[in-house]
Amino acid sequence: MTKDSSVRNKVLPTDLLSKSQAELEAVPDDELVTSYESMRDQKAPEDETYPNIRRLYGTPLEREKDRREVRARADACDAEMQEWYEKARNQPCTWWLKNHLVAKHALKSCLACGVCTAQCPAAQYYPEYNPRIIVDAVLSENEERLAELLKSDTLWYCGQCGSCKPKCSRENNLMGLISSLRFLAQLKGYHLHSVRGRQQYAMRHLCGGNLWNRACTLYFRNVDAANHPDFGPRYAKYHAEADTQMVRLGASPDRPGQFGGRKLPPQTLAEFRACVAWGGTLALWNQLERCAAEDAKKNGVSIDEYHDRVHREG
Ligand code: SF4
Ligand code: SF4
C-alpha cells in the first residue's frame, strides 16, 4: 500500500458517526473507543464548548462503544459475583427468593388489605395491574406462576415510586421485591417474552448510556416534548429552549461545570464507572446485550433494527 492510499483509506472519527452498529462491527475495540473519545473531547475554539457531546448522544457509535466497553469490563469484574449470577440463572425462581439479598428480606406476610394497591399510581394507570398480583405469586412459591410473572408485562408496570412501602402494616418492600424480580427475569432471559421486558434493551442504552457516558440517568436532551402533549404547552416551550433554560437553572451543557450534560473530567468519569462496575450493573447490561443479539438474530433483523423496534414497540 502506498503512503497516499493509506492516507486515503484512513477512517476519520467523524465517519464512524454515520455508521450503523452492524457496520461498526469490523472496527477494532481500541479504534472505536479512541475515535469516540477524540470526538467527545474536541473543543470548539469560538465558545469553549464541547459540541460533540450532543452529537454522540444516542448514536449507534455510542451504543457499540458501550457494548464493547461493558463486555470487556464485565468479564474482568468480581469473579465470585459472576459465578453467583451464573448459578442463580440455572436455579428455580424460588431459589432466588430465598437467596437474593433484597428478595429474601422484602416480603414478610400479606394481610391482603389492599392498601398498597390503593396508594399505587401504576395501578391507577394500568387497569390490569395491581402490586398484590406480584405479592400473591411470590407467596405462592409456585414455580410455574413465578415464571409466568417474570415473562409478563405486569412485572414492568411498577414505577418504583415507593409509595406503597411506608403504608404497608407488614412493612413489605414491594419496590425492592419487584426490582429484584426484574433482575432475575433478565438473568434468565424471560424478559424477552414481554413488550416492556424487551424494552429494557432500549432503556439500557438510554438511561445506561447516560450513566456510562454522562454520569446522569436522565439527560436533559432525552425528552421529546412531542411525545408528551399531556404535559401542556409550557413543557413544549421548556424543551424547545432546553439549552438556555438549563443555563438559567445553573447547568453547564457541553462545558465543564455542574449538572447533567456537562463536560465531565476524566477522573470523575473513571470513578463513577468504577462504582457502577462493582454494583453488578455491568453483568446485567452484558446479559441484556447477549439476549438482544440472540433475539435480533432469531427475528432476522440487525441489532440497529432491533433497538429501534423495541424502543417503539407497544
Ligand atoms: S399493604 Fe402490605 S399487607 Fe396490605 S396487601 Fe399490600 S403488601 Fe399486603
Ligand atoms: S413502588 Fe411500584 S407497586 Fe409500589 S406504589 Fe409505586 S408503582 Fe405501585
Side-chain angles (χ1 to χ4, degrees):
M1 184 186 282
T2 65
K3 192 178 170 204
D4 278 358
S5 69
S6 88
V7 169
R8 230 186 354 261
N9 290 338
K10 189 166 168 38
V11 179
L12 295 167
T14 42
D15 293 341
L16 300 181
L17 209 46
S18 58
K19 293 196 184 305
S20 67
Q21 256 188 281
E23 289 168 326
L24 290 167
E25 250 176 48
V27 183
D29 291 0
D30 52 354
E31 189 184 331
L32 201 76
V33 174
T34 311
S35 299
Y36 178 95
E37 290 179 350
S38 73
M39 270 188 274
R40 181 197 62 195
D41 297 339
Q42 208 174 359
K43 198 195 271 189
E46 63 279 9
D47 59 3
E48 302 277 299
T49 63
Y50 296 82
N52 288 336
I53 292 176
R54 165 203 300 249
R55 291 178 70 202
L56 288 160
Y57 151 68
T59 56
L61 173 60
E62 184 172 283
R63 291 201 298 275
E64 182 61 11
K65 190 260 316 165
D66 288 359
R67 182 181 75 81
R68 308 247 197 124
E69 282 183 328
V70 167
R71 185 183 57 192
R73 287 178 198 222
D75 289 346
C77 238
D78 184 350
E80 198 185 341
M81 184 169 67
Q82 297 272 13
E83 217 175 278
W84 194 89
Y85 284 135
E86 201 47 52
K87 179 179 170 187
R89 185 205 315 276
N90 299 309
Q91 294 290 329
C93 301
T94 44
W95 183 91
W96 179 270
L97 295 174
K98 290 185 178 78
N99 290 280
H100 187 250
L101 190 63
V102 177
K104 73 179 179 184
H105 295 298
L107 199 57
K108 296 178 184 83
S109 61
C110 175
L111 303 171
C113 64
V115 169
C116 51
T117 303
Q119 301 291 322
C120 177
Q124 285 191 17
Y125 189 80
Y126 299 106
E128 67 273 40
Y129 177 71
N130 85 64
R132 284 182 52 212
I133 298 173
I134 292 171
V135 173
D136 285 347
V138 170
L139 290 176
S140 77
E141 296 188 13
N142 179 305
E143 196 59 30
E144 254 177 56
R145 271 187 78 182
L146 286 165
E148 199 184 312
L149 172 69
L150 299 190
K151 291 176 181 175
S152 71
D153 280 312
T154 304
L155 188 62
W156 304 97
Y157 289 145
C158 162
Q160 297 278 287
C161 68
S163 311
C164 49
K165 189 167 181 273
K167 302 288 178 188
C168 175
S169 57
R170 300 299 301 136
E171 296 181 346
N172 290 328
N173 173 12
L174 302 192
M175 184 173 79
L177 177 69
I178 293 166
S179 171
S180 168
L181 291 173
R182 286 176 177 177
F183 200 115
L184 178 61
Q186 292 166 101
L187 201 59
K188 285 181 170 290
Y190 288 173
H191 66 293
L192 295 176
H193 292 260
S194 68
V195 172
R196 298 277 179 259
R198 286 189 292 275
Q199 280 175 344
Q200 299 315 302
Y201 175 63
M203 281 298 283
R204 175 261 167 281
H205 281 291
L206 178 70
C207 298
N210 287 338
L211 267 180
W212 193 245
N213 297 299
R214 290 167 282 281
C216 58
T217 322
L218 286 174
Y219 173 44
F220 74 94
R221 292 183 177 118
N222 288 154
V223 183
D224 181 357
N227 291 334
H228 299 278
D230 48 323
F231 282 14
R234 271 185 296 183
Y235 190 69
K237 181 174 159 56
Y238 168 77
H239 282 285
E241 300 167 359
D243 277 66
T244 34
Q245 296 284 8
M246 287 303 284
V247 171
R248 193 173 67 85
L249 295 169
S252 317
D254 309 327
R255 58 180 61 123
Q258 54 186 354
F259 298 140
R262 71 193 190 277
K263 175 76 174 77
L264 286 161
Q267 177 70 11
T268 306
L269 190 58
E271 284 170 6
F272 186 80
R273 286 181 172 181
C275 295
V276 173
W278 286 105
T281 307
L282 299 193
L284 179 66
W285 285 353
N286 215 19
Q287 165 70 357
L288 278 169
E289 294 288 355
R290 273 197 297 263
C291 287
E294 280 168 23
D295 207 28
K297 194 170 168 197
K298 194 171 122 196
N299 286 285
V301 294
S302 70
I303 196 67
D304 304 274
E305 290 165 328
Y306 186 79
H307 176 270
D308 291 349
R309 182 189 285 189
V310 298
H311 188 73
R312 294 191 166 76
E313 196 180 9

